Every structure is written in C-alpha cells, then in structure tokens.
Amino acid sequence: MLARQDGDIPWVDESRGVVSREIFFSEEIYQLELQRIFARTWLYIAHASEIPNPGDFVTRSMGDLPVIAIRADDGTVSVLLNSCRHRGVRVCRAHSGSVKNFVCPYHGWTYDQKGHLLTTAADKFLPPGTDFSQWGLVHAPRSDSYKELIFASLDPDAVDLVDYLGDFRWYLDIFFCRTPAGMQVMAPPQRYRVRTNWKTAAVNFGVDNQHVFTTHVGPFTVQPVTIPWPQRLKAMEEGVQIVAEDAHCVSLGFTQFEVPFALYPEEMRPLLAKVLSADQQKILSGLISGAGTLFPNLSFLERMIPSEKHGMGKTVILRLWQPISASEMEIISWCLIDREASPAYRERSLADGLRNFGVSGLFEQEDVELWATIADSSRSALAQRYPFSFMTAVPAMHAPATDFFGPGQAYRPVLTEVTQFRFLRYWNQMMTGDR
Ligand code: FES
Ligand SMILES: [Fe+2]
C-alpha cells in the first residue's frame, strides 16, 4: 500500500537493515518510481560508438517512454520521444539503423535527424501559416554525455550530468575510458526479458559479492583457473566497495601482481598507463573483478578471462535494466572493448563476454533463473509479513574504511551488503520525498 500505516513494514528500515518485499513486485510502487525516479534522474541511453555516423540511431526507453537517439549530420546527438506528433504512433520501429529522415508509418508525417517536421504528406490541406517548427518530435528535456556514455533526463531542472555523476566519474574512467582512443561496443546489444523487478539486478551488480560463491560455484569449478585461489581471496580482502554521491556503487577486487597490468594483453599495458592517474592505475593494474551500478538502472562488470589456452584478457559488460512492469524487465547487454585492442584480443573478449554473460551465458543463466523466482514467491500476504534481510549492511555502514585513496565512501571487506543497502536507502529517499 502506498499510504503507509503505523505497523506497516517500512520500504527500507535503516536501523534493522531490512527491506519490504513489496518494493520488488508492487505495480503501485512501480508507477510511483516512474514519477519519482525515472522522471527525475539521468538515464543511460546509448554508447556513442553505437551511432558513429550521421543518421545512425538506436531506440531505447526512459522509464516507460520510448525514445530514439540519433546522430545528425553535424555530429550532434538528439534524444527524441518516439511518438508521432500527429496521433502518437511509434515513428521508429527498429532497434537500430541509419536513416536520412523518419517517416511515420501511419499517415506519413516525416521528421529529419533532429526531429524537425518536414512534411505531413497533407500539407496543402493545413490551415495557412501552420508553423511546422511547433510540430517536431519532442526532445528529452536534457541530454548530455560523459566519455561517450550518452544520458538523458526528463527533468528540465535536473542537476548537470557532470554533477550527477560526481565523484563516480573517477571510477567510470577506470572502466570506460582507460586508453587514449577510449572504448567502443563490440556488437549490437543482446536484449532479453526476465520476470523480476529491475532493482533485483541493480543491487546484484551494485554489489552482491556474497552470491558469487554459491550461485556461481559451478563455472568457477569447471573453468580453468589462471589466478590461484589464494590470490583471488587476497584481492577480495584488499578490495573495497564504494558509494559515491550517496547513490552510485562499485566493488573493486584488486591486488598487486609481479607485472603491472598483468591481466591485460601485453600490447595494451603501456596504453593503460597513459590515461589513468597513479591511483587509478593502481586499481586497474591489479583488478581481478569489478562491478557497479550507476543509479538507477545502469550496471557494469569487468572480469578477467580465465583462459589457459588463450592467455589473459578482460571483458567489460555494460547492462541496462529496463523496467517493463513491477515484476518484469528487459536486459540490454553490451560487450565493450578498448579501441586499440588487437583483433585476437577483441575476439577472445567478445567470446568470453557472450559465453558467460550473454543471454545464454553460464553466469547469466544462473543469476536470472534465481531472480525470476523472487516476485512470485513474495506476493502472498503471508510472505509480505517477512521483509528481506540486508543485515550485514548495518555494522558495515557504521565502519567505513578510512585508508582507501579513491573518492567516495569506502567499505571493507567487499563481502557485506552495504553498497546494496545504500542504493536502496537512496531509492527510498527519492521515493518518500526526502530527495
Ligand atoms: S500518427 Fe504519425 S502520421 Fe499519423
Ligand atoms: Fe551473478
């Protein structure tokens, strides 16, 4: 129920570290999320490398609004509401492509790459002096990009993107812009639907380290281990979880190897050192696995590729958890690579990304199969009396690590639920009007 009564389980109980089940399946809460979260924050739209040339476009959603991101002849990117100004038909029906103009399939209203209306196909019957400039596709009120990550906001008064990302940019740089030429997507994204609430995935990537040793024990057992377990565990101990700007979370499992950037192909190593600060290099040089969530629904994951046959390598996965309803989301999943990567490294990285985190990937199947049981098993009145536990967050929240050199609030070890709970606390503050 949206009107909270005395005695109701709070959505997020900070003192006990528990969270109401209903936020993971209630349609009423989801409708409120569309207004209070998805209509107010910056939302990820696309990577610039998906639309490199004039006329290139992709279609995405901002909350429940379908949008088109398109690059125009002058190189600028517009984020346009994908709804014809005549009668609302979805103007663009494809996931991606390249066009000179958009022609609405219903009556033929035609828009250029910036959304300007060119013709209605019945212009001669319009009242004289009809001002076409008033009838273009609607632009998202704000759009901007950071290191080729394109975002938009439905709130004209949203803080600037650079401030929304804030200190988290320091970490985004490590994952998304660490060589002089930057990164690019390797292929169009995979898209698939899972019957679970979008926040289940957002907190899993931001960051549920506890599940790794049970959910994923299978692949860890069968895949060749190129990094011995003692070194992996050391990375977990030396690693940190960070919350930046109160909302965005990342977990970094890193240690120091004898060779700097040992987990990267040799040809990449000097490039990494060219772009990053000494402290950023220290993290990336020893990074075994990193994962994070940018509030609200963008996540990323980088892991080393455990291949004895092919040697070391890295794969970077970018994820958008696109809500469809309270209990269903579409996952949009990209594999990214540094532009300077050799063809062999590129191929290895893409194969690893898809094999493990593609729609039928080993790790992916294990996660989504479990996530898909949460909403259905939580709806009953009986189940709702018993909230979810994030209790390991409570002691951790009061004991941040003070010796970490990166920005944001750091916590050690990486095995508590502190960043997940901080994410939900921020969600709760936005939902209840405290932000
Ligand atoms: S609805 Fe698009 S032209 Fe009529
Ligand atoms: Fe997982």
Side-chain angles (χ1 to χ4, degrees), residues 204 211 215-216 363 367:
N204 179 278
H211 88 290
T215 305
H216 302 306
F363 286 79
D367 283 322

Side-chain angles (χ1 to χ4, degrees), residues 89-108:
V89 157
R90 201 171 284 206
V91 172
C92 179
R93 324 284 284 184
H95 285 322
S96 63
S98 194
V99 290
K100 185 158 170 44
N101 301 312
F102 288 113
V103 181
C104 178
Y106 200 3
H107 312 91

Side-chain angles (χ1 to χ4, degrees), residues 84-89 91 104-109 111:
C84 182
R85 288 293 304 282
H86 183 215
R87 302 287 174 81
V89 157
V91 172
C104 178
Y106 200 3
H107 312 91
W109 282 35
Y111 305 90

Side-chain angles (χ1 to χ4, degrees), residues 44 60 297-299 318-322 330-332 334:
Y44 183 70
R60 300 279 142 78
N297 64 333
L298 183 72
S299 294
L318 183 66
R319 281 290 169 86
L320 192 60
W321 316 113
Q322 178 57 52
E330 182 180 31
I331 298 178
I332 308 180
W334 297 261

Side-chain angles (χ1 to χ4, degrees), residues 221-334:
T221 307
V222 299
Q223 289 187 344
V225 175
T226 44
I227 299 176
W229 273 105
Q231 191 127 33
R232 280 169 185 261
L233 293 174
K234 195 159 169 276
M236 297 295 257
E237 276 165 29
E238 292 175 5
V240 286
Q241 298 184 89
I242 293 113
V243 180
E245 306 305 321
D246 268 344
H248 317 309
C249 314
V250 64
S251 165
L252 305 164
F254 66 101
T255 184
Q256 295 309 314
F257 297 97
E258 282 171 21
V259 181
F261 300 110
L263 298 185
Y264 288 86
E266 221 166 314
E267 76 268 17
M268 298 299 293
R269 292 178 197 163
L271 298 174
L272 299 163
K274 270 188 188 172
V275 169
L276 300 171
S277 72
D279 282 341
Q280 288 171 313
Q281 286 183 50
K282 194 170 165 188
I283 293 171
L284 194 61
S285 177
L287 190 72
I288 288 180
S289 70
T293 293
L294 177 75
F295 193 91
N297 64 333
L298 183 72
S299 294
F300 53 91
L301 169 74
E302 175 166 32
R303 62 192 288 270
M304 59 92 196
I305 300 171
S307 166
E308 278 169 350
K309 188 172 160 203
H310 301 295
M312 290 299 180
K314 288 277 195 174
T315 187
V316 175
I317 307 288
L318 183 66
R319 281 290 169 86
L320 192 60
W321 316 113
Q322 178 57 52
I324 303 290
S325 69
S327 52
E328 186 172 17
M329 66 173 169
E330 182 180 31
I331 298 178
I332 308 180
S333 182
W334 297 261

